[in-house]
Amino acid sequence: MAEPAPRPGHPYYMHDAIYAQPGALRLVARGQGDAIAAAAARLRALDQVLLTGVGTSWHAALVGELLFARVGGLGRRARAFHAFELASYWPDGDARAGVIGITHRGTNHHTLAALARARSKGGAGVAITGKSTDAVAADWMLRTVDQESSGAHTVSYTTALALLAALAAAVGGQSGTARELDAIPDLVASLLGQESWDDLAARYGSARYFWFVGGGPNTATALEAALKMNEAGHATTAGFNCEQFLHGAWAALEREDVVFLVTPPGPSRERCLAVARVVKEIGAPLVALAREDDRELAALATETIAIPEVDELLSPILTVVPLQLFVYHAAVRRGVNPDVTRSDQPAYARARSAF
């Protein structure tokens, strides 16, 4: 199937994908209940469950690690590995290992190899991938959405997170988590209409440097937002775990930068408050994603984006959405096409072809 023609201006395909998320989240598990239950039964019986992917899929695997450790009840039996590192440096797993491979397009050969190795050794392979991906060989295929027309994956990320949460809940027999997942689409819809996202981009989109910081499962949110700012906004940025930021990275922060801090209630909140105090002392603007009633954080932040009340382990499905919107509108204001990963510029097109 031919790729759709690039759009010449706003709304780009990334915009459509962001706003498609509530509907996609409502539908993503429909018709897949039997596959989720069967995969969960097999994974529950194994000695180890490895979650793997590259890029945005790697960030989903990081969220999935905590979901399977806590919601799924697997503890340290659940581990996330970057697919390149898993393929290149780690010894093969044993026969009682399962692999959950996340690959939006079904083309990453490191992820596909990890799935194939698990199955060849008598373990299990579960693929979380987009629709119409036929090259993936796995015992169970859990489908997210149709292939995105934008290179900046958004809806395929949040739907992958939802499937990981549903699978983890099935492994752990956590019906409460399954019920909370049912409420997520409406919460995402409320976030989409919460702010004037173009105004947010007008205030902070021309910063010298963009910092994204989170803790626990939202470490992945910070990494994902930074990646989106790179590939869609073509900006200089970094994502950090809150403790890692405090362990020296903050020394590079300047007043001309902006910091986005993701801090719903949870074990990382106190260290996120320490990050907020650092940013305030230095004088850089701080945009906090937090509960509306978090007055302590609001007093430190330049402005707050209110995040609905939700289990912290599920919060990455929500917290990434305002950051996607900021990145998109910042890209539009910077005059770049967020869909094409700069392949519309000859030097960058040649660079892409080199790998």
Side-chain angles (χ1 to χ4, degrees), residues 137-230:
D139 297 297
W140 293 278
M141 302 276 285
L142 303 181
R143 303 288 190 172
T144 55
V145 290
D146 291 326
Q147 295 300 315
E148 292 183 64
S149 299
S150 176
H153 291 117
T154 52
V155 62
S156 53
Y157 176 66
T158 51
T159 50
L161 293 183
L163 285 175
L164 285 166
L167 185 56
V171 169
Q174 297 291 332
S175 59
T177 298
R179 286 193 296 272
E180 282 197 80
L181 274 170
D182 290 340
I184 292 286
D186 288 343
L187 298 179
V188 172
S190 73
L191 277 173
L192 290 171
Q194 182 173 295
E195 301 276 344
S196 174
W197 303 106
D198 182 59
D199 289 348
L200 190 73
R203 291 194 292 277
Y204 304 113
S206 60
R208 182 195 74 105
Y209 197 91
F210 301 87
W211 302 75
F212 298 93
V213 183
N218 284 298
T219 299
T221 305
L223 297 173
E224 173 63 9
L227 176 61
K228 288 293 162 280
M229 199 70 200
N230 290 150

Side-chain angles (χ1 to χ4, degrees), residues 50-54 81-88 90-94 97-102 108-127 136-139:
L50 312 180
L51 298 103
T52 194
V54 173
F81 290 87
H82 191 280
F84 173 76
E85 304 291 327
L86 183 60
S88 304
W90 286 87
D92 285 349
D94 59 31
V99 167
I100 301 172
I102 304 124
N108 186 274
H109 62 277
H110 300 302
T111 304
L112 300 182
L115 288 164
R117 280 200 306 273
R119 300 178 75 211
S120 70
K121 289 180 168 291
V126 180
V136 182
D139 297 297

